[in-house]
Amino acid sequence: MTMKELIEKGLRDALQPSLLVVVDESHLHAGHAGAREGGETHYRLNVVADVFAGKSRVERHRLVNDAVKPAFERGLHALAIKANAPGE
Amino acid sequence: MTDAKTRIESEVTSNDVVLFMKGTPQFPMCGFSGQVTQILNYLGVNYKGVNVLEDADIRQGIKDYANWPTIPQLYVKGEFVGGCDITREMFQSGELQQMLTEKGIAVKQSA
């Protein structure tokens, strides 16, 4: 499973999102301290899920971070997160 | 680890605004850390930057402290505010300025 697939699977299983876009931006960070040969370090994601309704930004990011824990354990370095409830 | 936690607690309680970051406010070593310094500088907020690249214990310790896997991390009056995305969203909506003012932190009024 690629890092992107690992991130997507974690989010789908945990959050049942109605929208999920995960973009690999590792190439933008090539040569940076957290970047690795072969990439798969820096991602940006846009996720819309019912579970975010009524939750603070920090709570939403915690849900996302928990859902992608296996990816962090595998070397994910940076994750830009946009997390919204439907209609926001 | 306990030592790192003690030092982190000391930083966030003895400084009103603390940014755990990569590099320094003068020379950020990461784009995400750099964005937060730009926001704080724009708002004229007096803050302390803690360079996690200089200390592996703090670098890991701060992730455990807030249970937050990434850096930068912004703290105001000892409370965790968020990372780069949250700080930027709060700045853009005006919530960051409001929260700082409510906590008694001087913020430059924007024109």
Side-chain angles (χ1 to χ4, degrees):
Chain A
M1 206 184 295
T2 65
M3 186 70 91
K4 183 169 185 280
E5 288 164 349
L6 192 61
I7 293 169
E8 287 170 346
K9 182 180 182 336
L11 291 166
R12 285 194 204 288
D13 289 352
L15 307 177
Q16 288 87 46
S18 52
L19 173 79
L20 177 60
V21 181
V22 179
V23 181
D24 185 349
E25 295 191 335
S26 304
H27 60 286
L28 300 176
H29 300 269
H32 163 286
R36 276 192 320 260
E37 193 78 21
E40 297 206 314
T41 51
H42 292 69
Y43 289 80
R44 172 175 300 277
L45 66 86
N46 184 1
V47 57
V48 176
D50 289 333
V51 69
F52 294 137
K55 291 208 166 56
S56 72
R57 289 192 175 87
V58 168
E59 287 168 334
R60 292 174 186 202
H61 282 230
R62 282 196 199 286
L63 287 172
V64 170
N65 287 331
D66 285 346
V68 301
K69 205 157 189 271
F72 275 109
E73 283 163 0
R74 211 172 93 180
L76 173 63
H77 176 75
L79 193 59
I81 299 169
K82 186 168 185 283
N84 291 111
E88 287 182 344
Chain B
M1 212 68 257
T2 314
D3 178 46
K5 191 177 175 216
T6 308
R7 281 155 62 207
I8 290 164
E9 263 168 4
S10 155
E11 293 286 10
V12 302
T13 50
S14 56
N15 301 283
D16 282 346
V17 183
V18 187
L19 180 65
F20 290 86
M21 64 178 293
K22 292 179 177 172
T24 63
Q26 290 72 33
F27 190 35
M29 300 287 284
C30 152
F32 303 105
S33 292
Q35 281 186 42
V36 180
T37 63
Q38 282 181 16
I39 290 169
L40 295 175
N41 292 342
Y42 178 84
L43 294 175
V45 171
N46 193 6
Y47 66 100
K48 176 167 186 188
V50 177
N51 182 1
V52 304
L53 296 179
E54 282 182 349
D55 191 322
D57 287 346
I58 297 292
R59 184 175 182 173
Q60 181 56 45
I62 196 64
K63 295 179 183 178
D64 299 334
Y65 183 77
N67 185 26
W68 194 263
T70 50
I71 291 155
Q73 292 184 18
L74 180 65
Y75 291 78
V76 175
K77 296 266 182 182
E79 245 175 72
F80 175 60
V81 174
C84 173
D85 294 318
I86 289 179
T87 304
R88 194 190 58 248
E89 285 173 12
M90 288 179 70
F91 168 68
Q92 287 167 344
S93 69
E95 286 166 78
L96 183 65
Q97 297 86 320
Q98 189 187 346
M99 181 268 285
L100 289 165
T101 306
E102 282 172 6
K103 289 183 181 279
I105 313 282
V107 174
K108 208 165 33 178
Q109 291 304 314
S110 53

